[in-house]
Amino acid sequence: MDLKLRGKRAIVTGASRGIGRCCALALAREGARVCVTARNLDLLDDVVREIEAAGGEGHAVTADLVSMDGCRKVVREAAGTFGGIDILVNCAGAARGGDILDLPTEQIDEGMALKAHGYLRMSQLVIPYMRENRWGRIVHIAGGAGTSPGRGNIPLSLANIAVLNSTRALTDAVSGDGILVNAICPGMTNTQRARDLQQVEADRQGRDVEDLLREAGERIPAGRIAEPEEVATVATFLASEPCSYVFGTAVYMDGGERRGTP
Protein backbone atom coordinates (compact mmCIF):
# COMPACT_ATOMS: atom_id res chain seq x y z
CA MET A 1 0.00 0.00 0.00
CA ASP A 2 1.22 3.47 -0.91
CA LEU A 3 0.71 5.60 2.20
CA LYS A 4 1.29 8.77 0.14
CA LEU A 5 3.64 10.23 2.75
CA ARG A 6 6.44 11.25 0.42
CA GLY A 7 7.26 14.90 1.03
CA LYS A 8 4.93 15.25 4.00
CA ARG A 9 6.36 17.32 6.85
CA ALA A 10 6.26 15.72 10.28
CA ILE A 11 7.14 16.45 13.88
CA VAL A 12 7.72 13.57 16.28
CA THR A 13 8.10 14.44 19.96
CA GLY A 14 9.88 12.17 22.40
CA ALA A 15 11.82 10.91 19.39
CA SER A 16 15.20 10.24 20.99
CA ARG A 17 14.37 6.63 21.83
CA GLY A 18 11.64 4.03 22.20
CA ILE A 19 8.32 4.39 20.41
CA GLY A 20 9.01 7.98 19.36
CA ARG A 21 12.27 7.04 17.67
CA CYS A 22 10.59 4.16 15.85
CA CYS A 23 7.77 6.45 14.68
CA ALA A 24 10.27 8.95 13.28
CA LEU A 25 12.14 6.23 11.38
CA ALA A 26 8.94 4.64 10.06
CA LEU A 27 7.68 7.98 8.71
CA ALA A 28 11.07 8.72 7.14
CA ARG A 29 11.12 5.35 5.38
CA GLU A 30 7.80 6.29 3.78
CA GLY A 31 9.34 9.49 2.44
CA ALA A 32 8.24 12.00 5.08
CA ARG A 33 10.57 14.79 6.19
CA VAL A 34 10.85 14.44 9.94
CA CYS A 35 11.68 16.93 12.69
CA VAL A 36 12.59 15.00 15.84
CA THR A 37 12.53 16.60 19.25
CA ALA A 38 13.45 15.64 22.80
CA ARG A 39 15.80 16.98 25.47
CA ASN A 40 18.94 15.01 24.60
CA LEU A 41 20.72 16.35 21.52
CA ASP A 42 23.20 13.46 21.24
CA LEU A 43 20.40 10.91 21.04
CA LEU A 44 18.48 13.08 18.57
CA ASP A 45 21.54 13.38 16.35
CA ASP A 46 21.76 9.58 16.31
CA VAL A 47 18.15 9.40 15.12
CA VAL A 48 18.78 11.98 12.38
CA ARG A 49 21.76 9.93 11.19
CA GLU A 50 19.53 6.84 11.04
CA ILE A 51 16.90 8.78 9.10
CA GLU A 52 19.49 9.97 6.60
CA ALA A 53 21.00 6.48 6.30
CA ALA A 54 17.53 5.28 5.32
CA GLY A 55 17.39 7.92 2.58
CA GLY A 56 15.19 10.36 4.48
CA GLU A 57 15.52 13.95 5.62
CA GLY A 58 15.69 14.68 9.33
CA HIS A 59 16.07 17.71 11.53
CA ALA A 60 16.69 17.76 15.29
CA VAL A 61 15.41 20.33 17.78
CA THR A 62 16.09 20.12 21.49
CA ALA A 63 13.32 21.50 23.67
CA ASP A 64 11.50 21.02 26.95
CA LEU A 65 7.85 20.63 26.00
CA VAL A 66 6.68 21.34 29.53
CA SER A 67 6.77 25.02 28.58
CA MET A 68 4.88 26.84 25.84
CA ASP A 69 8.16 28.44 24.79
CA GLY A 70 9.67 25.00 24.22
CA CYS A 71 6.69 23.93 22.13
CA ARG A 72 6.81 27.14 20.08
CA LYS A 73 10.52 26.61 19.42
CA VAL A 74 9.94 23.15 17.94
CA VAL A 75 7.03 24.19 15.73
CA ARG A 76 8.78 27.36 14.55
CA GLU A 77 11.97 25.48 13.59
CA ALA A 78 10.10 22.61 11.91
CA ALA A 79 7.90 24.94 9.88
CA GLY A 80 10.87 27.13 8.98
CA THR A 81 12.98 24.16 7.86
CA PHE A 82 10.28 22.29 5.94
CA GLY A 83 7.99 25.13 4.87
CA GLY A 84 5.02 23.87 6.86
CA ILE A 85 3.72 21.01 9.00
CA ASP A 86 1.43 18.16 7.94
CA ILE A 87 1.86 15.56 10.67
CA LEU A 88 2.35 15.61 14.43
CA VAL A 89 3.11 12.47 16.41
CA ASN A 90 3.08 13.26 20.14
CA CYS A 91 5.14 10.71 22.03
CA ALA A 92 6.94 12.72 24.71
CA GLY A 93 6.12 12.21 28.33
CA ALA A 94 6.17 9.77 31.17
CA ALA A 95 5.12 9.87 34.78
CA ARG A 96 6.53 8.40 37.96
CA GLY A 97 4.42 5.89 39.77
CA GLY A 98 3.55 5.84 43.43
CA ASP A 99 0.97 4.33 45.74
CA ILE A 100 -2.24 6.35 45.85
CA LEU A 101 -2.20 6.36 49.67
CA ASP A 102 1.14 8.17 49.80
CA LEU A 103 1.15 9.99 46.46
CA PRO A 104 2.02 13.71 46.52
CA THR A 105 -0.36 15.60 44.25
CA GLU A 106 2.68 17.44 42.89
CA GLN A 107 3.64 14.17 41.24
CA ILE A 108 0.32 14.20 39.37
CA ASP A 109 1.06 17.75 38.22
CA GLU A 110 4.44 16.59 36.96
CA GLY A 111 2.87 13.83 34.87
CA MET A 112 0.23 16.14 33.42
CA ALA A 113 2.66 18.94 32.55
CA LEU A 114 4.62 17.12 29.85
CA LYS A 115 2.13 14.64 28.50
CA ALA A 116 -1.37 16.11 28.74
CA HIS A 117 -0.45 19.80 28.51
CA GLY A 118 2.46 19.29 26.13
CA TYR A 119 0.38 17.24 23.70
CA LEU A 120 -2.36 19.84 23.68
CA ARG A 121 0.02 22.78 23.23
CA MET A 122 1.80 21.08 20.33
CA SER A 123 -1.54 20.29 18.70
CA GLN A 124 -2.77 23.86 19.05
CA LEU A 125 0.43 25.20 17.50
CA VAL A 126 0.50 22.91 14.43
CA ILE A 127 -3.18 23.12 13.53
CA PRO A 128 -2.91 26.54 11.78
CA TYR A 129 -0.31 25.07 9.38
CA MET A 130 -2.53 22.07 8.67
CA ARG A 131 -5.54 24.26 8.07
CA GLU A 132 -3.64 26.11 5.35
CA ASN A 133 -3.50 22.91 3.29
CA ARG A 134 -6.85 21.51 4.45
CA TRP A 135 -4.94 18.36 5.46
CA GLY A 136 -3.31 17.15 8.62
CA ARG A 137 -2.77 14.19 10.91
CA ILE A 138 -2.23 14.29 14.68
CA VAL A 139 -1.41 11.03 16.45
CA HIS A 140 -1.16 10.91 20.22
CA ILE A 141 0.72 8.03 21.84
CA ALA A 142 -1.24 7.76 25.07
CA GLY A 143 -1.18 4.49 26.95
CA GLY A 144 -3.35 1.72 28.28
CA ALA A 145 -3.09 3.12 31.81
CA GLY A 146 -5.63 5.80 30.87
CA THR A 147 -8.47 3.31 31.08
CA SER A 148 -6.76 0.88 33.48
CA PRO A 149 -6.04 2.86 36.64
CA GLY A 150 -4.44 1.13 39.58
CA ARG A 151 -3.25 2.23 42.97
CA GLY A 152 0.33 2.56 41.71
CA ASN A 153 -0.11 4.34 38.36
CA ILE A 154 -2.44 7.30 38.96
CA PRO A 155 -0.11 10.05 37.62
CA LEU A 156 0.29 8.18 34.33
CA SER A 157 -3.36 7.13 34.21
CA LEU A 158 -4.64 10.68 34.68
CA ALA A 159 -2.25 12.06 32.07
CA ASN A 160 -3.33 9.43 29.56
CA ILE A 161 -7.06 9.89 30.10
CA ALA A 162 -6.56 13.63 29.62
CA VAL A 163 -4.88 12.88 26.28
CA LEU A 164 -7.84 10.72 25.23
CA ASN A 165 -10.30 13.45 26.17
CA SER A 166 -8.35 16.09 24.26
CA THR A 167 -8.19 13.74 21.25
CA ARG A 168 -11.98 13.67 21.17
CA ALA A 169 -12.34 17.43 21.68
CA LEU A 170 -9.72 18.30 19.06
CA THR A 171 -11.52 16.04 16.59
CA ASP A 172 -14.72 18.01 17.13
CA ALA A 173 -12.81 21.23 16.53
CA VAL A 174 -10.84 20.39 13.37
CA SER A 175 -12.43 17.45 11.54
CA GLY A 176 -14.08 19.88 9.11
CA ASP A 177 -10.62 21.17 8.14
CA GLY A 178 -9.36 17.83 6.85
CA ILE A 179 -7.40 17.14 10.04
CA LEU A 180 -7.64 13.73 11.69
CA VAL A 181 -6.77 13.38 15.38
CA ASN A 182 -6.38 9.90 16.84
CA ALA A 183 -4.60 8.14 19.68
CA ILE A 184 -2.76 4.88 20.23
CA CYS A 185 -2.79 3.21 23.63
CA PRO A 186 0.07 0.73 23.87
CA GLY A 187 0.36 -1.74 26.69
CA MET A 188 3.76 -2.81 27.99
CA THR A 189 6.25 -2.28 25.18
CA ASN A 190 9.85 -3.41 24.85
CA THR A 191 11.45 0.01 25.24
CA GLN A 192 14.47 1.01 27.29
CA ARG A 193 12.21 2.84 29.74
CA ALA A 194 10.14 -0.31 30.32
CA ARG A 195 13.32 -2.29 30.80
CA ASP A 196 14.67 0.27 33.26
CA LEU A 197 11.47 0.07 35.32
CA GLN A 198 11.51 -3.72 35.28
CA GLN A 199 15.19 -3.73 36.19
CA VAL A 200 14.36 -1.98 39.46
CA GLU A 201 11.92 -4.76 40.29
CA ALA A 202 14.35 -7.44 39.11
CA ASP A 203 17.04 -6.04 41.38
CA ARG A 204 14.62 -5.97 44.30
CA GLN A 205 13.73 -9.63 43.75
CA GLY A 206 17.26 -10.73 42.84
CA ARG A 207 16.07 -11.99 39.47
CA ASP A 208 16.91 -11.53 35.79
CA VAL A 209 15.01 -8.75 34.04
CA GLU A 210 14.42 -10.96 30.98
CA ASP A 211 12.48 -13.39 33.17
CA LEU A 212 10.23 -10.58 34.43
CA LEU A 213 9.58 -9.30 30.92
CA ARG A 214 8.77 -12.79 29.69
CA GLU A 215 6.40 -13.40 32.60
CA ALA A 216 4.69 -10.06 31.98
CA GLY A 217 4.12 -11.08 28.38
CA GLU A 218 2.76 -14.47 29.36
CA ARG A 219 0.01 -12.76 31.38
CA ILE A 220 -1.22 -11.02 28.22
CA PRO A 221 -3.50 -12.87 25.76
CA ALA A 222 -0.97 -12.20 22.99
CA GLY A 223 1.62 -14.10 25.02
CA ARG A 224 4.26 -11.38 24.76
CA ILE A 225 4.81 -7.65 25.20
CA ALA A 226 4.75 -5.29 22.20
CA GLU A 227 7.72 -4.16 20.17
CA PRO A 228 8.00 -0.38 19.58
CA GLU A 229 8.19 -0.95 15.81
CA GLU A 230 4.69 -2.44 15.93
CA VAL A 231 3.30 0.70 17.52
CA ALA A 232 5.15 2.83 14.97
CA THR A 233 3.57 0.91 12.09
CA VAL A 234 0.09 1.78 13.31
CA ALA A 235 1.09 5.39 13.99
CA THR A 236 2.40 5.69 10.43
CA PHE A 237 -0.88 4.43 9.00
CA LEU A 238 -2.87 6.87 11.15
CA ALA A 239 -0.63 9.63 9.79
CA SER A 240 -1.16 8.61 6.18
CA GLU A 241 -3.35 9.64 3.27
CA PRO A 242 -5.21 6.29 3.04
CA CYS A 243 -6.27 6.74 6.66
CA SER A 244 -9.11 9.06 5.68
CA TYR A 245 -12.08 8.06 7.85
CA VAL A 246 -10.68 7.42 11.31
CA PHE A 247 -11.64 10.32 13.56
CA GLY A 248 -11.18 10.68 17.32
CA THR A 249 -10.38 7.02 17.84
CA ALA A 250 -8.13 5.32 20.39
CA VAL A 251 -6.40 2.19 19.06
CA TYR A 252 -5.54 -0.17 21.90
CA MET A 253 -2.29 -2.03 21.21
CA ASP A 254 -2.11 -4.05 24.40
CA GLY A 255 -2.17 -7.60 23.08
CA GLY A 256 -5.74 -8.08 24.33
CA GLU A 257 -4.95 -7.12 27.92
CA ARG A 258 -7.71 -4.52 28.24
CA ARG A 259 -10.85 -5.89 29.87
CA GLY A 260 -13.26 -3.13 28.88
CA THR A 261 -15.46 -3.30 25.80
CA PRO A 262 -15.52 -2.01 23.15
Side-chain angles (χ1 to χ4, degrees):
M1 179 186 292
D2 181 6
L3 297 181
K4 295 182 170 57
L5 285 171
R6 186 157 301 280
K8 295 293 188 186
R9 301 154 299 184
I11 295 173
V12 181
T13 74
S16 59
R17 61 181 190 166
I19 293 172
R21 170 184 164 277
C22 289
C23 287
L25 293 172
L27 287 167
R29 291 187 191 106
E30 293 294 328
R33 305 161 72 190
V34 186
C35 174
V36 292
T37 185
R39 287 178 277 202
N40 187 309
L41 181 58
D42 290 338
L43 292 177
L44 287 177
D45 284 343
D46 288 341
V47 177
V48 170
R49 281 191 285 270
E50 289 183 81
I51 288 172
E52 292 172 347
E57 179 181 352
H59 180 70
V61 182
T62 55
D64 185 349
L65 302 185
V66 168
S67 72
M68 179 59 89
D69 286 344
C71 294
R72 286 197 183 103
K73 175 186 176 184
V74 173
V75 173
R76 182 174 60 248
E77 286 204 31
T81 300
F82 297 149
I85 300 165
D86 304 300
I87 296 163
L88 170 66
V89 179
N90 271 319
C91 197
R96 293 181 295 155
D99 192 280
I100 187 66
L101 296 180
D102 305 310
L103 184 70
T105 55
E106 290 80 8
Q107 202 163 310
I108 295 173
D109 296 338
E110 178 186 297
M112 295 288 287
L114 179 55
K115 192 153 198 177
H117 301 334
Y119 281 25
L120 180 56
R121 291 188 185 112
M122 289 296 296
S123 299
Q124 291 168 335
L125 290 168
V126 301
I127 283 169
Y129 295 96
M130 296 176 177
R131 278 178 163 158
E132 287 181 10
N133 295 323
R134 303 286 300 174
W135 195 96
R137 301 287 188 267
I138 297 173
V139 182
H140 294 146
I141 308 299
T147 54
S148 300
R151 65 182 292 172
N153 73 352
I154 286 300
L156 183 59
S157 179
L158 290 176
N160 282 327
I161 201 65
V163 169
L164 296 182
N165 276 283
S166 66
T167 299
R168 178 69 262 176
L170 285 167
T171 293
D172 292 343
V174 300
S175 59
D177 299 309
I179 303 169
L180 279 63
V181 188
N182 292 290
I184 300 175
C185 298
M188 183 180 284
T189 305
N190 189 19
T191 62
Q192 189 58 52
R193 178 173 181 273
R195 286 180 165 275
D196 290 345
L197 292 173
Q198 288 298 309
Q199 186 65 60
V200 173
E201 182 62 19
D203 291 344
R204 188 183 70 81
Q205 296 183 26
R207 300 182 60 194
D208 187 278
V209 68
E210 296 299 331
D211 290 337
L212 293 189
L213 290 167
R214 185 182 65 255
E215 290 172 6
E218 289 171 351
R219 292 191 291 270
I220 300 170
R224 62 177 178 85
I225 63 175
E227 295 298 327
E229 291 83 2
E230 293 176 298
V231 180
T233 296
V234 175
T236 302
F237 173 72
L238 291 176
S240 73
E241 181 76 42
C243 180
S244 57
Y245 205 68
V246 183
F247 289 81
T249 292
V251 179
Y252 285 85
M253 294 191 67
D254 57 5
E257 186 175 23
R258 182 170 176 257
R259 296 295 88 194
T261 56

